[in-house]
Amino acid sequence: DQQVKQNSPSLSVQEGRISILNCDYTNSMFDYFLWYKKYPAEGPTFLISISSIKDKNEDGRFTVFLNKSAKHLSLHIVPSQPGDSAVYFCAASGSSNTGKLIFGQGTTLQVKP
Amino acid sequence: NAGVTQTPKFRILKIGQSMTLQCTQDMNHNYMYWYRQDPGMGLKLIYYSVGAGITDKGEVPNGYNVSRSTTEDFPLRLELAAPSQTSVYFCASSHGGTIYEQFFGPGTRLTVL
């Protein structure tokens, strides 16, 4: 029973173009969503987050969109850079105040020069 | 600040052996977490702690134990190692004000043969 799903294992885009990574969830109690980025042989690093009371959050080249009715969120990277090549995980949490996160399987993004 | 440090980086165990994965953070974070990541999968929460002396189970606690005697340290104990525990283990911590924005260590790659 996978509550957070990233259905695309990999994505390849050209440098300078937009990268769109998608994530679906099933639990309507989730109210906070995050994206983490992971390079090989390193731990994940926090990238951007969004609360369920918003539908968009922007931080520089990164924008996260949330569609609650569709239980879908997406991460847009514009413009994409070779240094963005990494595995991206979406994660979700309910209002437990414990920090517990449910992660998706990850999408490997390759940005070609 | 060293952030979150984990030792060892790599370990090979025989079936039935025991070991402790060490995790230390120097950010004075109250919240700490242990995750495991299996190949091609997302991170799954093993145990978490909301402060010294307080621990609780995550999604996949069987075969593991934790303790939290200080704010800085959160060791993970594997008793009677099994091949199913072959994985990469990540420790993370977060501040009380932003509990979902977790800081991860570099991971421990464990193989059980």
Side-chain angles (χ1 to χ4, degrees), chain A residues 15-100:
Chain A
E15 181 179 6
R17 306 295 292 267
I18 185 171
S19 296
I20 301 176
L21 295 91
N22 294 304
C23 179
D24 297 298
Y25 62 96
T26 57
N27 190 338
S28 57
M29 298 301 291
F30 288 150
D31 63 357
Y32 200 76
F33 304 89
L34 306 94
W35 286 93
Y36 281 82
K37 176 179 179 179
K38 184 183 180 305
Y39 292 118
E42 295 183 10
T45 55
F46 167 74
L47 189 58
I48 192 169
S49 62
I50 188 167
S51 164
S52 60
I53 63 173
K54 296 185 175 181
D55 54 18
K56 176 183 173 181
N57 189 28
E58 194 171 350
D59 183 1
R61 296 186 297 114
F62 302 91
T63 303
V64 56
F65 295 92
L66 176 62
N67 182 334
K68 282 187 293 183
S69 61
K71 295 191 179 70
H72 177 83
L73 65 154
S74 61
L75 175 68
H76 292 209
I77 307 174
V78 183
S80 302
Q81 299 173 354
D84 296 329
S85 298
V87 179
Y88 289 79
F89 293 99
C90 69
S93 184
S95 304
S96 64
N97 208 32
T98 59
K100 292 167 65 176

Side-chain angles (χ1 to χ4, degrees), chain B residues 64-75:
Chain B
Y64 307 94
N65 276 301
V66 294
S67 59
R68 184 96 183 271
S69 56
T70 67
T71 299
E72 296 77 22
D73 300 306
F74 190 39

Side-chain angles (χ1 to χ4, degrees), chain A residues 94-112:
Chain A
S95 304
S96 64
N97 208 32
T98 59
K100 292 167 65 176
L101 292 174
I102 304 294
F103 281 83
Q105 311 97 300
T107 296
T108 301
L109 172 66
Q110 182 185 28
V111 180
K112 297 180 179 177

Side-chain angles (χ1 to χ4, degrees), chain B residues 87-101:
Chain B
S87 191
V88 181
Y89 291 83
F90 291 101
C91 178
S93 70
S94 62
H95 184 268
T98 54
I99 57 176
Y100 300 114
E101 297 170 19

